[in-house]
Amino acid sequence: SLGFSNGDVLKMYAIEHGLITIISMIIGFIGGYIVIQNITSMVFENTIYSDVALISISSQEALIILGLSIGLLLLTSVLPLYKLLRMTPINIINKE
């Protein structure tokens, strides 16, 4: 930690947290879509609704959901970083 400022350590943790959260969010969106499609096809396989999409999301709604998710990501990552701002770099590294 010699030579690092609080800003450098803060950037390091912010980037790490952001990347982990974005990757898990993408995996969650893709996994959720696949699971919902599989459940829908199994449940409505032999019914009159087999050709109808149960969940229909427009591109505008998808962008709103994505925007809300990114907003929550920023909120949950920025609040803990305020606590790190009050610590010295060596205390931050020792705490981890």
Side-chain angles (χ1 to χ4, degrees):
S1 72
L2 295 175
F4 287 109
S5 67
N6 279 351
D8 294 336
V9 175
L10 190 64
K11 286 178 195 175
M12 180 178 66
Y13 281 100
I15 290 171
E16 177 185 351
H17 180 74
L19 288 175
I20 290 171
T21 306
I22 288 172
I23 290 170
S24 64
M25 185 173 64
I26 290 170
I27 291 171
F29 280 146
I30 293 170
Y33 180 78
I34 291 170
V35 168
I36 288 172
Q37 292 301 322
N38 287 337
I39 290 173
T40 302
S41 66
M42 285 189 293
V43 170
F44 295 108
E45 184 175 357
N46 295 321
T47 65
I48 61 173
Y49 300 109
S50 62
D51 294 335
V52 178
L54 184 64
I55 299 175
S56 177
I57 298 177
S58 69
S59 60
Q60 183 180 11
E61 292 166 341
L63 288 175
I64 290 172
I65 292 170
L66 184 64
L68 288 173
S69 298
I70 291 173
L72 285 173
L73 159 75
L74 291 174
L75 182 68
T76 58
S77 63
V78 168
L79 291 177
L81 290 178
Y82 280 124
K83 183 178 176 184
L84 290 176
L85 282 173
R86 288 184 249 129
M87 301 172 87
T88 62
I90 193 69
N91 289 340
I92 294 170
I93 291 172
N94 286 335
K95 188 172 183 173
E96 292 291 318

Coordinates of all heavy atoms in Angstrom, one line a residue:
S1 N 0.8 -1.2 0.0 CA 0.0 0.0 0.0 C 0.9 1.3 0.0 O 0.3 2.3 0.0 CB -0.9 0.0 1.2 OG -0.2 0.2 2.4
L2 N 2.2 1.1 0.0 CA 3.0 2.3 0.0 C 2.9 2.9 -1.4 O 3.0 2.3 -2.4 CB 4.5 1.9 0.3 CG 4.7 1.3 1.7 CD1 6.2 0.8 1.8 CD2 4.4 2.3 2.7
G3 N 2.7 4.2 -1.4 CA 2.6 5.0 -2.6 C 1.2 5.1 -3.1 O 1.0 5.8 -4.1
F4 N 0.2 4.4 -2.6 CA -1.2 4.5 -3.0 C -1.9 5.5 -2.2 O -1.7 5.6 -1.0 CB -1.9 3.1 -2.8 CG -1.5 2.1 -3.8 CD1 -0.7 1.0 -3.4 CD2 -1.8 2.2 -5.2 CE1 -0.3 0.0 -4.3 CE2 -1.4 1.2 -6.1 CZ -0.7 0.1 -5.7
S5 N -2.7 6.2 -2.9 CA -3.6 7.2 -2.1 C -5.0 6.5 -1.9 O -5.3 5.5 -2.4 CB -3.8 8.5 -3.0 OG -4.5 8.2 -4.1
N6 N -5.8 7.2 -1.1 CA -7.1 6.7 -0.8 C -7.9 6.5 -2.1 O -8.7 5.6 -2.3 CB -7.9 7.6 0.1 CG -7.5 7.3 1.6 OD1 -6.8 6.4 1.9 ND2 -7.9 8.2 2.5
G7 N -7.7 7.5 -3.0 CA -8.4 7.4 -4.3 C -8.0 6.2 -5.2 O -8.9 5.6 -5.8
D8 N -6.7 5.9 -5.1 CA -6.3 4.7 -5.9 C -6.9 3.4 -5.3 O -7.4 2.6 -6.1 CB -4.8 4.6 -5.8 CG -4.1 5.7 -6.6 OD1 -4.7 6.3 -7.5 OD2 -2.9 6.0 -6.2
V9 N -6.9 3.3 -4.0 CA -7.5 2.1 -3.4 C -9.0 2.1 -3.7 O -9.6 1.0 -4.0 CB -7.2 2.0 -1.9 CG1 -7.9 0.9 -1.2 CG2 -5.7 2.0 -1.7
L10 N -9.6 3.2 -3.6 CA -11.1 3.3 -3.8 C -11.4 2.9 -5.2 O -12.4 2.2 -5.5 CB -11.5 4.7 -3.5 CG -13.0 5.0 -3.5 CD1 -13.6 4.2 -2.3 CD2 -13.3 6.5 -3.3
K11 N -10.6 3.4 -6.2 CA -10.9 3.0 -7.6 C -10.7 1.5 -7.8 O -11.5 0.9 -8.5 CB -9.9 3.7 -8.5 CG -10.2 5.2 -8.7 CD -9.1 5.8 -9.6 CE -9.2 7.3 -9.5 NZ -8.1 7.9 -10.3
M12 N -9.7 0.9 -7.1 CA -9.5 -0.5 -7.3 C -10.7 -1.3 -6.8 O -11.2 -2.2 -7.5 CB -8.2 -0.9 -6.5 CG -7.9 -2.4 -6.6 SD -6.4 -2.8 -5.7 CE -6.9 -2.4 -4.0
Y13 N -11.2 -1.0 -5.6 CA -12.3 -1.7 -5.1 C -13.6 -1.4 -5.8 O -14.5 -2.3 -6.0 CB -12.5 -1.4 -3.6 CG -11.6 -2.1 -2.7 CD1 -10.4 -1.5 -2.2 CD2 -11.8 -3.5 -2.4 CE1 -9.5 -2.2 -1.5 CE2 -10.9 -4.2 -1.6 CZ -9.8 -3.5 -1.1 OH -8.9 -4.2 -0.4
A14 N -13.8 -0.2 -6.3 CA -15.0 0.1 -7.1 C -15.0 -0.6 -8.4 O -16.1 -1.1 -8.8 CB -15.0 1.7 -7.4
I15 N -13.9 -0.7 -9.1 CA -13.8 -1.5 -10.4 C -14.1 -2.9 -10.1 O -14.8 -3.6 -10.8 CB -12.5 -1.2 -11.1 CG1 -12.4 0.2 -11.6 CG2 -12.3 -2.2 -12.2 CD1 -11.1 0.6 -12.1
E16 N -13.5 -3.5 -9.1 CA -13.6 -4.9 -8.7 C -15.1 -5.2 -8.4 O -15.7 -6.1 -9.0 CB -12.8 -5.3 -7.5 CG -13.0 -6.7 -7.1 CD -12.2 -7.0 -5.8 OE1 -11.4 -6.1 -5.3 OE2 -12.4 -8.1 -5.2
H17 N -15.7 -4.4 -7.6 CA -17.1 -4.6 -7.3 C -18.0 -4.4 -8.5 O -19.0 -5.2 -8.7 CB -17.5 -3.6 -6.1 CG -19.0 -3.7 -5.7 ND1 -19.4 -4.8 -5.0 CD2 -20.0 -3.0 -6.0 CE1 -20.7 -4.7 -4.8 NE2 -21.1 -3.6 -5.4
G18 N -17.8 -3.4 -9.3 CA -18.6 -3.2 -10.5 C -18.5 -4.3 -11.5 O -19.5 -4.7 -12.0
L19 N -17.3 -4.8 -11.7 CA -17.2 -5.9 -12.7 C -17.8 -7.2 -12.2 O -18.5 -7.9 -13.0 CB -15.7 -6.2 -12.9 CG -15.0 -5.2 -13.8 CD1 -13.5 -5.5 -13.9 CD2 -15.6 -5.1 -15.2
I20 N -17.7 -7.5 -10.9 CA -18.3 -8.7 -10.4 C -19.8 -8.6 -10.4 O -20.5 -9.5 -10.8 CB -17.9 -8.9 -8.9 CG1 -16.4 -9.4 -8.9 CG2 -18.7 -10.0 -8.2 CD1 -15.8 -9.5 -7.5
T21 N -20.4 -7.4 -10.1 CA -21.8 -7.2 -10.1 C -22.4 -7.2 -11.6 O -23.4 -7.8 -11.8 CB -22.1 -5.9 -9.4 OG1 -21.6 -5.9 -8.1 CG2 -23.6 -5.7 -9.3
I22 N -21.7 -6.6 -12.5 CA -22.2 -6.6 -13.9 C -22.1 -8.0 -14.5 O -23.1 -8.4 -15.1 CB -21.3 -5.6 -14.7 CG1 -21.7 -4.2 -14.3 CG2 -21.6 -5.8 -16.2 CD1 -20.8 -3.1 -15.0
I23 N -21.1 -8.7 -14.2 CA -21.0 -10.1 -14.8 C -22.1 -11.0 -14.1 O -22.8 -11.7 -14.9 CB -19.6 -10.7 -14.5 CG1 -18.6 -10.0 -15.4 CG2 -19.6 -12.2 -14.8 CD1 -17.2 -10.3 -15.1
S24 N -22.3 -10.9 -12.8 CA -23.4 -11.6 -12.2 C -24.8 -11.2 -12.7 O -25.7 -12.0 -12.8 CB -23.3 -11.6 -10.7 OG -23.5 -10.3 -10.2
M25 N -25.0 -9.9 -13.0 CA -26.2 -9.4 -13.5 C -26.5 -10.0 -14.9 O -27.6 -10.4 -15.2 CB -26.2 -7.9 -13.5 CG -27.5 -7.2 -13.9 SD -27.5 -5.4 -13.7 CE -26.3 -5.0 -14.9
I26 N -25.5 -10.0 -15.7 CA -25.7 -10.6 -17.1 C -26.0 -12.0 -17.0 O -26.9 -12.5 -17.7 CB -24.4 -10.3 -17.9 CG1 -24.3 -8.8 -18.2 CG2 -24.5 -11.1 -19.2 CD1 -23.0 -8.4 -18.8
I27 N -25.3 -12.8 -16.2 CA -25.6 -14.2 -16.0 C -27.0 -14.4 -15.5 O -27.7 -15.3 -15.9 CB -24.5 -14.9 -15.1 CG1 -23.2 -14.9 -15.8 CG2 -24.9 -16.3 -14.7 CD1 -22.0 -15.3 -14.9
G28 N -27.4 -13.6 -14.5 CA -28.8 -13.7 -14.0 C -29.8 -13.4 -15.0 O -30.8 -14.1 -15.0
F29 N -29.6 -12.4 -15.8 CA -30.6 -12.1 -16.9 C -30.7 -13.2 -17.9 O -31.8 -13.7 -18.2 CB -30.2 -10.8 -17.6 CG -30.6 -9.5 -17.0 CD1 -29.8 -8.4 -17.1 CD2 -31.7 -9.4 -16.2 CE1 -30.1 -7.2 -16.4 CE2 -32.1 -8.3 -15.6 CZ -31.3 -7.2 -15.7
I30 N -29.6 -13.7 -18.3 CA -29.6 -14.8 -19.3 C -30.2 -16.1 -18.7 O -31.1 -16.8 -19.3 CB -28.2 -15.1 -19.9 CG1 -27.8 -13.9 -20.7 CG2 -28.2 -16.3 -20.7 CD1 -26.3 -13.9 -21.1
G31 N -29.7 -16.4 -17.5 CA -30.3 -17.6 -16.8 C -31.7 -17.5 -16.5 O -32.5 -18.5 -16.7
G32 N -32.2 -16.4 -16.1 CA -33.6 -16.1 -15.8 C -34.5 -16.3 -17.0 O -35.5 -16.9 -17.0
Y33 N -34.0 -15.7 -18.1 CA -34.7 -15.8 -19.4 C -34.9 -17.3 -19.8 O -35.9 -17.7 -20.2 CB -34.0 -15.0 -20.5 CG -34.7 -15.1 -21.8 CD1 -35.9 -14.3 -22.0 CD2 -34.3 -15.9 -22.8 CE1 -36.5 -14.4 -23.2 CE2 -34.9 -15.9 -24.0 CZ -36.0 -15.2 -24.2 OH -36.7 -15.2 -25.4
I34 N -33.8 -18.0 -19.7 CA -33.8 -19.4 -20.1 C -34.7 -20.3 -19.2 O -35.5 -21.1 -19.7 CB -32.3 -20.0 -20.1 CG1 -31.5 -19.4 -21.3 CG2 -32.3 -21.5 -20.3 CD1 -30.0 -19.7 -21.2
V35 N -34.6 -20.0 -17.9 CA -35.5 -20.8 -17.0 C -36.9 -20.5 -17.2 O -37.8 -21.4 -17.3 CB -35.0 -20.5 -15.5 CG1 -36.1 -21.0 -14.5 CG2 -33.7 -21.1 -15.2
I36 N -37.3 -19.2 -17.4 CA -38.6 -18.8 -17.6 C -39.2 -19.4 -18.9 O -40.3 -19.9 -19.0 CB -38.8 -17.3 -17.6 CG1 -38.6 -16.7 -16.2 CG2 -40.1 -16.9 -18.2 CD1 -38.6 -15.2 -16.1
Q37 N -38.4 -19.4 -20.0 CA -38.8 -20.0 -21.2 C -39.0 -21.5 -21.1 O -40.0 -22.1 -21.6 CB -37.8 -19.7 -22.3 CG -37.7 -18.3 -22.8 CD -39.0 -17.8 -23.3 OE1 -39.8 -18.4 -23.9 NE2 -39.4 -16.5 -22.9
N38 N -38.1 -22.2 -20.4 CA -38.3 -23.7 -20.2 C -39.5 -24.0 -19.3 O -40.3 -24.9 -19.7 CB -37.0 -24.3 -19.5 CG -35.9 -24.3 -20.5 OD1 -36.1 -24.3 -21.7 ND2 -34.7 -24.4 -20.0
I39 N -39.7 -23.2 -18.3 CA -40.9 -23.5 -17.4 C -42.2 -23.2 -18.2 O -43.2 -24.0 -18.2 CB -40.9 -22.6 -16.2 CG1 -39.7 -23.1 -15.2 CG2 -42.2 -22.6 -15.4 CD1 -39.5 -22.3 -14.0
T40 N -42.2 -22.1 -19.0 CA -43.4 -21.8 -19.8 C -43.7 -22.9 -20.8 O -44.8 -23.3 -21.0 CB -43.2 -20.4 -20.5 OG1 -42.9 -19.4 -19.5 CG2 -44.4 -20.0 -21.3
S41 N -42.7 -23.4 -21.5 CA -42.9 -24.4 -22.5 C -43.4 -25.7 -21.8 O -44.2 -26.4 -22.4 CB -41.7 -24.6 -23.3 OG -40.6 -25.2 -22.6
M42 N -42.9 -26.1 -20.6 CA -43.3 -27.3 -20.0 C -44.7 -27.2 -19.5 O -45.5 -28.1 -19.6 CB -42.4 -27.6 -18.8 CG -41.0 -28.2 -19.2 SD -40.0 -28.8 -17.9 CE -39.7 -27.3 -17.0
V43 N -45.1 -26.0 -18.9 CA -46.4 -25.9 -18.3 C -47.5 -25.8 -19.4 O -48.5 -26.4 -19.3 CB -46.4 -24.6 -17.4 CG1 -47.9 -24.3 -17.0 CG2 -45.6 -24.8 -16.2
F44 N -47.2 -25.1 -20.5 CA -48.2 -24.8 -21.5 C -48.0 -25.7 -22.7 O -48.5 -25.3 -23.8 CB -48.3 -23.3 -21.9 CG -48.7 -22.5 -20.7 CD1 -47.8 -21.7 -20.1 CD2 -50.0 -22.5 -20.3 CE1 -48.2 -20.9 -19.0 CE2 -50.5 -21.7 -19.3 CZ -49.5 -20.9 -18.6
E45 N -47.3 -26.8 -22.6 CA -46.9 -27.6 -23.8 C -48.2 -28.2 -24.5 O -48.2 -28.1 -25.7 CB -46.1 -28.8 -23.3 CG -45.5 -29.6 -24.4 CD -44.6 -30.7 -23.8 OE1 -44.3 -30.7 -22.6 OE2 -44.1 -31.5 -24.6
N46 N -49.1 -28.7 -23.8 CA -50.3 -29.3 -24.4 C -51.6 -28.6 -24.2 O -52.7 -29.2 -24.1 CB -50.4 -30.8 -23.9 CG -49.3 -31.6 -24.3 OD1 -48.8 -31.5 -25.4 ND2 -48.8 -32.5 -23.4
T47 N -51.5 -27.3 -24.2 CA -52.7 -26.4 -24.0 C -52.9 -25.6 -25.2 O -52.1 -25.5 -26.1 CB -52.6 -25.5 -22.7 OG1 -51.5 -24.6 -23.0 CG2 -52.3 -26.4 -21.5
I48 N -54.0 -24.8 -25.2 CA -54.3 -23.9 -26.3 C -53.3 -22.7 -26.3 O -53.3 -22.0 -27.3 CB -55.8 -23.5 -26.3 CG1 -56.1 -22.7 -25.0 CG2 -56.7 -24.6 -26.5 CD1 -57.4 -22.0 -24.9
Y49 N -52.6 -22.5 -25.2 CA -51.7 -21.4 -25.1 C -50.3 -21.8 -25.5 O -49.3 -21.0 -25.2 CB -51.7 -20.8 -23.7 CG -53.0 -20.4 -23.2 CD1 -53.7 -21.1 -22.2 CD2 -53.6 -19.2 -23.7 CE1 -55.0 -20.6 -21.8 CE2 -54.8 -18.8 -23.3 CZ -55.5 -19.5 -22.4 OH -56.8 -19.1 -22.0
S50 N -50.1 -22.9 -26.1 CA -48.7 -23.3 -26.4 C -48.0 -22.5 -27.4 O -46.8 -22.4 -27.5 CB -48.7 -24.8 -26.9 OG -49.5 -24.9 -28.1
D51 N -48.8 -21.8 -28.3 CA -48.2 -20.9 -29.3 C -48.1 -19.4 -28.9 O -47.5 -18.6 -29.6 CB -49.0 -21.0 -30.6 CG -48.9 -22.4 -31.2 OD1 -47.9 -23.1 -31.0 OD2 -49.8 -22.7 -32.0
V52 N -48.6 -19.1 -27.7 CA -48.7 -17.7 -27.2 C -47.5 -17.5 -26.3 O -47.2 -18.3 -25.4 CB -50.0 -17.5 -26.5 CG1 -50.0 -16.0 -26.0 CG2 -51.2 -17.7 -27.5
A53 N -46.8 -16.4 -26.5 CA -45.8 -16.0 -25.5 C -46.4 -15.6 -24.2 O -47.2 -14.6 -24.2 CB -44.9 -15.0 -26.1
L54 N -46.0 -16.2 -23.1 CA -46.6 -15.9 -21.8 C -46.0 -14.5 -21.3 O -46.8 -13.7 -20.8 CB -46.4 -17.0 -20.8 CG -47.0 -16.8 -19.5 CD1 -48.5 -16.8 -19.6 CD2 -46.5 -17.9 -18.5
I55 N -44.8 -14.4 -21.5 CA -44.1 -13.1 -21.1 C -43.6 -12.4 -22.3 O -42.7 -12.9 -23.0 CB -43.0 -13.4 -20.1 CG1 -43.5 -14.1 -18.9 CG2 -42.2 -12.2 -19.8 CD1 -42.4 -14.6 -17.9
S56 N -44.1 -11.3 -22.6 CA -43.7 -10.5 -23.7 C -43.2 -9.1 -23.2 O -43.9 -8.3 -22.6 CB -44.9 -10.2 -24.7 OG -44.5 -9.4 -25.7
I57 N -41.9 -8.9 -23.4 CA -41.3 -7.6 -23.0 C -40.8 -6.9 -24.2 O -40.0 -7.4 -25.0 CB -40.1 -8.0 -22.0 CG1 -40.6 -8.7 -20.8 CG2 -39.4 -6.7 -21.6 CD1 -39.5 -9.1 -19.8
S58 N -41.2 -5.6 -24.3 CA -40.7 -4.8 -25.4 C -39.3 -4.3 -25.1 O -38.8 -4.4 -24.0 CB -41.7 -3.6 -25.6 OG -41.5 -2.7 -24.5
S59 N -38.7 -3.8 -26.1 CA -37.3 -3.3 -25.9 C -37.2 -2.1 -25.0 O -36.3 -2.0 -24.2 CB -36.7 -2.9 -27.3 OG -37.5 -1.9 -27.9
Q60 N -38.3 -1.3 -25.0 CA -38.3 -0.1 -24.0 C -38.4 -0.6 -22.6 O -37.7 -0.1 -21.7 CB -39.5 0.8 -24.4 CG -39.6 2.0 -23.5 CD -40.8 2.9 -23.8 OE1 -41.6 2.5 -24.6 NE2 -40.8 4.1 -23.3
E61 N -39.2 -1.7 -22.4 CA -39.4 -2.2 -21.0 C -38.1 -2.9 -20.6 O -37.7 -2.8 -19.4 CB -40.5 -3.2 -20.9 CG -41.9 -2.6 -21.1 CD -43.0 -3.6 -21.4 OE1 -42.6 -4.7 -21.8 OE2 -44.1 -3.2 -21.2
A62 N -37.4 -3.5 -21.5 CA -36.1 -4.2 -21.2 C -35.1 -3.1 -20.8 O -34.3 -3.3 -19.9 CB -35.6 -5.0 -22.4
L63 N -35.1 -2.0 -21.5 CA -34.1 -0.9 -21.2 C -34.4 -0.3 -19.8 O -33.5 0.1 -19.1 CB -34.1 0.1 -22.3 CG -33.5 -0.3 -23.6 CD1 -33.7 0.8 -24.7 CD2 -32.0 -0.6 -23.4
I64 N -35.7 -0.2 -19.5 CA -36.1 0.3 -18.2 C -35.6 -0.6 -17.1 O -35.0 -0.2 -16.1 CB -37.6 0.6 -18.1 CG1 -38.0 1.7 -19.0 CG2 -38.0 0.8 -16.7 CD1 -39.5 1.9 -19.2
I65 N -35.8 -1.9 -17.3 CA -35.4 -2.9 -16.3 C -33.8 -2.8 -16.2 O -33.3 -2.9 -15.1 CB -35.8 -4.3 -16.7 CG1 -37.4 -4.4 -16.5 CG2 -35.2 -5.4 -15.8 CD1 -38.0 -5.6 -17.1
L66 N -33.1 -2.8 -17.3 CA -31.7 -2.7 -17.3 C -31.2 -1.4 -16.6 O -30.3 -1.4 -15.8 CB -31.1 -2.7 -18.7 CG -29.6 -2.8 -18.9 CD1 -29.1 -4.0 -18.2 CD2 -29.2 -2.7 -20.3
G67 N -31.9 -0.3 -16.8 CA -31.5 1.0 -16.2 C -31.7 0.9 -14.7 O -30.9 1.4 -13.9
L68 N -32.9 0.3 -14.2 CA -33.1 0.2 -12.8 C -32.1 -0.7 -12.2 O -31.6 -0.5 -11.0 CB -34.5 -0.4 -12.6 CG -35.7 0.6 -12.8 CD1 -37.0 -0.2 -12.7 CD2 -35.6 1.7 -11.8
S69 N -31.7 -1.8 -12.8 CA -30.7 -2.7 -12.3 C -29.3 -2.0 -12.2 O -28.6 -2.2 -11.2 CB -30.5 -3.9 -13.2 OG -31.7 -4.6 -13.3
I70 N -28.9 -1.2 -13.2 CA -27.7 -0.5 -13.1 C -27.7 0.6 -12.0 O -26.8 0.8 -11.3 CB -27.3 0.1 -14.5 CG1 -27.0 -1.0 -15.4 CG2 -26.2 1.1 -14.3 CD1 -26.8 -0.6 -16.8
G71 N -28.9 1.2 -11.8 CA -29.1 2.2 -10.7 C -28.9 1.5 -9.4 O -28.2 2.1 -8.5
L72 N -29.5 0.4 -9.2 CA -29.3 -0.4 -7.9 C -27.9 -0.8 -7.7 O -27.4 -0.8 -6.6 CB -30.3 -1.6 -7.9 CG -31.7 -1.3 -7.6 CD1 -32.6 -2.5 -7.8 CD2 -31.9 -0.6 -6.3
L73 N -27.2 -1.2 -8.8 CA -25.8 -1.5 -8.8 C -25.0 -0.4 -8.2 O -24.2 -0.5 -7.4 CB -25.3 -2.0 -10.1 CG -23.8 -1.9 -10.4 CD1 -23.1 -3.1 -9.7 CD2 -23.5 -1.9 -11.9
L74 N -25.2 0.8 -8.8 CA -24.5 2.0 -8.4 C -24.8 2.3 -6.9 O -23.8 2.7 -6.2 CB -24.8 3.2 -9.3 CG -24.3 3.0 -10.7 CD1 -24.8 4.2 -11.6 CD2 -22.8 3.0 -10.7
L75 N -26.0 2.3 -6.5 CA -26.4 2.6 -5.2 C -25.7 1.6 -4.2 O -25.2 2.1 -3.2 CB -27.9 2.6 -5.0 CG -28.5 2.9 -3.7 CD1 -28.2 4.4 -3.4 CD2 -29.9 2.6 -3.6
T76 N -25.8 0.3 -4.5 CA -25.2 -0.6 -3.5 C -23.7 -0.6 -3.5 O -23.1 -1.1 -2.6 CB -25.7 -2.0 -3.8 OG1 -25.4 -2.4 -5.2 CG2 -27.2 -2.1 -3.6
S77 N -23.1 -0.1 -4.6 CA -21.6 -0.1 -4.6 C -21.1 1.2 -4.0 O -20.0 1.2 -3.5 CB -21.1 -0.4 -6.0 OG -21.5 0.7 -6.9
V78 N -21.8 2.3 -4.2 CA -21.3 3.6 -3.7 C -21.4 3.7 -2.2 O -20.5 4.2 -1.5 CB -22.0 4.7 -4.4 CG1 -21.8 6.1 -3.8 CG2 -21.6 4.8 -5.9
L79 N -22.5 3.2 -1.6 CA -22.7 3.4 -0.2 C -21.6 2.8 0.7 O -21.1 3.4 1.6 CB -24.1 2.9 0.2 CG -25.3 3.7 -0.3 CD1 -26.6 3.1 0.1 CD2 -25.2 5.2 0.2
P80 N -21.2 1.5 0.4 CA -20.1 1.0 1.2 C -18.8 1.7 0.9 O -17.9 1.6 1.8 CB -20.0 -0.5 0.7 CG -21.3 -0.8 0.2 CD -21.8 0.5 -0.4
L81 N -18.6 2.3 -0.2 CA -17.3 2.9 -0.5 C -17.1 4.2 0.3 O -16.0 4.6 0.5 CB -17.2 3.2 -2.0 CG -17.0 2.0 -2.9 CD1 -17.0 2.4 -4.4 CD2 -15.8 1.2 -2.5
Y82 N -18.2 4.8 0.7 CA -18.1 6.0 1.6 C -17.4 5.6 2.9 O -16.7 6.4 3.5 CB -19.5 6.6 1.9 CG -20.0 7.4 0.8 CD1 -21.3 7.2 0.3 CD2 -19.3 8.5 0.4 CE1 -21.7 8.0 -0.8 CE2 -19.8 9.3 -0.7 CZ -21.0 9.0 -1.2 OH -21.5 9.8 -2.2
K83 N -17.7 4.4 3.4 CA -17.0 3.9 4.6 C -15.5 3.8 4.4 O -14.7 4.1 5.3 CB -17.6 2.6 5.0 CG -17.1 2.0 6.3 CD -17.8 0.7 6.7 CE -17.2 0.1 7.9 NZ -17.8 -1.2 8.2
L84 N -15.1 3.3 3.2 CA -13.7 3.2 2.8 C -13.0 4.5 2.7 O -11.8 4.6 2.9 CB -13.6 2.4 1.5 CG -13.9 0.9 1.6 CD1 -13.8 0.3 0.2 CD2 -13.0 0.2 2.5
L85 N -13.7 5.6 2.4 CA -13.1 6.9 2.2 C -12.5 7.4 3.5 O -11.5 8.1 3.5 CB -14.1 7.9 1.7 CG -14.4 7.8 0.3 CD1 -15.6 8.8 -0.1 CD2 -13.2 8.2 -0.6
R86 N -13.0 7.0 4.7 CA -12.6 7.4 6.0 C -11.4 6.6 6.5 O -10.8 7.0 7.5 CB -13.7 7.4 7.0 CG -14.7 8.5 6.7 CD -15.8 8.5 7.8 NE -17.0 8.0 7.1 CZ -17.8 7.0 7.6 NH1 -17.5 6.5 8.7 NH2 -18.9 6.7 6.9
M87 N -11.0 5.6 5.8 CA -9.9 4.7 6.2 C -8.6 5.0 5.5 O -8.6 5.6 4.4 CB -10.3 3.3 6.1 CG -11.5 2.8 6.8 SD -12.1 1.2 6.3 CE -11.1 0.3 7.5
T88 N -7.5 4.7 6.1 CA -6.2 4.8 5.4 C -6.0 3.6 4.5 O -6.6 2.5 4.7 CB -5.1 4.9 6.4 OG1 -5.0 3.7 7.2 CG2 -5.2 6.1 7.3
P89 N -5.2 3.7 3.5 CA -5.0 2.5 2.6 C -4.5 1.3 3.3 O -5.0 0.2 3.0 CB -3.9 3.0 1.6 CG -4.1 4.5 1.6 CD -4.5 4.9 2.9
I90 N -3.7 1.4 4.3 CA -3.2 0.2 5.0 C -4.3 -0.5 5.8 O -4.4 -1.7 5.9 CB -1.9 0.5 5.9 CG1 -1.3 -0.8 6.3 CG2 -2.3 1.4 7.0 CD1 -0.6 -1.5 5.3
N91 N -5.2 0.3 6.4 CA -6.3 -0.2 7.1 C -7.3 -0.9 6.2 O -7.9 -1.9 6.6 CB -7.1 0.9 7.9 CG -6.3 1.4 9.0 OD1 -5.4 0.7 9.5 ND2 -6.6 2.6 9.5
I92 N -7.5 -0.4 5.0 CA -8.4 -1.0 4.0 C -7.9 -2.4 3.6 O -8.6 -3.4 3.6 CB -8.6 -0.1 2.8 CG1 -9.3 1.2 3.2 CG2 -9.3 -0.8 1.7 CD1 -9.3 2.2 2.1
I93 N -6.6 -2.4 3.3 CA -6.0 -3.7 2.9 C -6.0 -4.7 4.0 O -6.2 -5.9 3.8 CB -4.6 -3.4 2.3 CG1 -4.7 -2.6 1.0 CG2 -3.8 -4.7 2.1 CD1 -3.4 -2.1 0.5
N94 N -5.7 -4.3 5.2 CA -5.7 -5.2 6.4 C -7.0 -5.7 6.7 O -7.2 -6.8 7.2 CB -5.1 -4.5 7.6 CG -3.6 -4.3 7.5 OD1 -2.9 -5.1 6.8 ND2 -3.1 -3.4 8.2
K95 N -8.1 -4.9 6.4 CA -9.4 -5.3 6.7 C -9.9 -6.5 5.8 O -10.6 -7.4 6.2 CB -10.4 -4.2 6.6 CG -11.8 -4.5 7.1 CD -12.6 -3.3 7.1 CE -14.0 -3.6 7.7 NZ -14.8 -2.5 7.9
E96 N -9.4 -6.4 4.6 CA -9.8 -7.5 3.6 C -9.0 -8.7 3.9 O -9.1 -9.7 3.9 CB -9.4 -7.0 2.2 CG -10.3 -5.9 1.7 CD -11.8 -6.3 1.5 OE1 -12.0 -7.4 1.0 OE2 -12.6 -5.5 1.9

